[in-house]
Amino acid sequence: MFSIQILFYFFFFILGLVFGSFLNALEWRLHEKKSLNTRSECPKCHKVISWYDNIPVFSFLFLHAKCRHCHKKISWQYPMVELLLAFLFSFVFYYYSFVGYFSWLVIIRDCLAVFVLLFIFIYDTKYLEVSDIMTLGSASILFVFSLFLHVSWLSMVIGAMIGGGFFLLQFVVSKGKWIGGGDIRIGILMGVLLGWKLLLLALWLAYMIGGLISIILVLTKKKKMMTEVAFGTYLSLATFIAMFFGTQILDWYFRLVF
Ligand SMILES: [Zn+2]
């Protein structure tokens, strides 16, 4: 039993590395509007990358963070993202091994959700943009997935309406100045993933985290007040926390208050 458990962790770690590599490629391709069918290329010299130079983390180390052809630096973000997703996939497996209701379908859905959240996190931080295909596309897939898991469709629909509506309202009132249209789509995705109760918690968390980080950035003079913030970054982080720790946070909060 013990060794099988370790084998599964290893499997999810490798799976995370592979999907992390895919995530890196997807970020770049969606932003550059390149097809997904073409082979990977160096973003600097545009030479096609051979499979042996495209192995997650290992190729980066082996090539000393430089392209084999043009010798320009490869960003450390690539192996970081691969490692991060490897840990996140392992975490999902760990979480459901201990939470008391183990189901492969739930694990697959949550690995997919974590992949999408990490994608939004990086994309919004890097480009100050939100990809419609990733938000609305994954919201639809995750909705159908959750139906198979007997998640209440009503809770998801109400969640999507509150999440989308919350940002739509701000968008209309401020004529698009406070938030971008992308946040409306993230709100819909959050509602589908969390249901309305945890969605409210996630929104609160996002504002708390966002506020805290803004204060730190202003105090350390990294940013001026009112500079554009990538709110999708905070929303995806808050959604992750609410997904896996939301119920405990709410329990703890209500025990404290009542
Ligand atoms: Zn190159």
Side-chain angles (χ1 to χ4, degrees), residues 5-227:
Q5 204 77 345
I6 287 181
L7 216 63
F8 275 128
Y9 280 116
F10 184 69
F11 171 76
F12 276 97
F13 195 83
I14 300 293
L15 199 70
L17 286 180
V18 172
F19 273 87
S21 177
F22 175 60
L23 195 148
N24 281 325
L26 204 60
E27 301 270 354
W28 189 73
R29 277 159 198 236
L30 275 180
H31 189 251
E32 303 284 314
K33 297 188 172 57
K34 292 225 176 210
S35 152
L36 283 175
N37 298 325
T38 49
R39 299 273 309 273
S40 296
E41 58 179 68
C42 165
K44 297 195 175 121
C45 67
H46 300 286
K47 273 241 165 68
V48 168
I49 301 169
S50 322
W51 66 266
Y52 49 80
D53 283 343
N54 212 3
I55 299 164
V57 183
F58 293 101
S59 293
F60 179 83
L61 296 174
F62 183 74
L63 292 167
H64 301 289
K66 284 187 191 101
C67 167
R68 185 186 288 275
H69 305 287
C70 65
H71 304 289
K72 293 232 171 76
K73 268 205 163 303
I74 306 170
S75 169
W76 57 268
Q77 282 176 33
Y78 290 100
M80 279 297 288
V81 167
E82 288 158 359
L83 278 174
L84 186 59
L85 200 63
F87 280 112
L88 287 173
F89 274 18
S90 311
F91 167 76
V92 172
F93 177 73
Y94 165 84
Y95 182 85
Y96 285 105
S97 304
F98 287 94
V99 84
Y101 47 95
F102 188 90
S103 147
W104 285 113
L105 213 54
V106 176
I107 291 177
I108 296 168
R109 184 200 57 183
D110 283 10
C111 281
L112 181 68
V114 162
F115 177 89
V116 171
L117 290 175
L118 184 59
F119 181 94
I120 295 171
F121 183 92
I122 297 166
Y123 206 75
D124 206 0
T125 310
K126 239 170 129 174
Y127 306 122
L128 287 174
E129 267 173 40
V130 176
S131 156
D132 298 348
I133 309 168
M134 283 307 276
T135 45
L136 292 183
S138 61
S140 326
I141 295 170
L142 289 165
F143 181 81
V144 175
F145 228 108
S146 298
L147 287 180
F148 280 106
L149 291 163
H150 309 293
V151 176
S152 150
W153 66 269
L154 194 63
S155 170
M156 288 193 283
V157 170
I158 293 174
M161 278 163 66
I162 297 178
F166 177 72
F167 290 114
L168 181 66
L169 196 70
Q170 294 187 56
F171 189 80
V172 171
V173 168
S174 71
K175 298 193 176 75
K177 273 188 205 123
W178 296 343
I179 52 151
D183 295 320
I184 302 169
R185 289 170 206 111
I186 298 178
I188 294 172
L189 170 69
M190 288 170 74
V192 169
L193 256 175
L194 300 171
W196 69 269
K197 231 185 269 174
L198 289 178
L199 166 79
L200 295 179
L201 172 72
L203 289 176
W204 181 80
L205 278 174
Y207 280 95
M208 292 305 280
I209 299 167
L212 205 68
I213 293 177
S214 298
I215 290 170
I216 293 169
L217 289 178
V218 170
L219 287 180
T220 53
K221 300 198 167 62
K222 290 247 163 60
K223 250 181 192 167
K224 284 192 208 98
M225 278 298 253
M226 307 305 283
T227 40

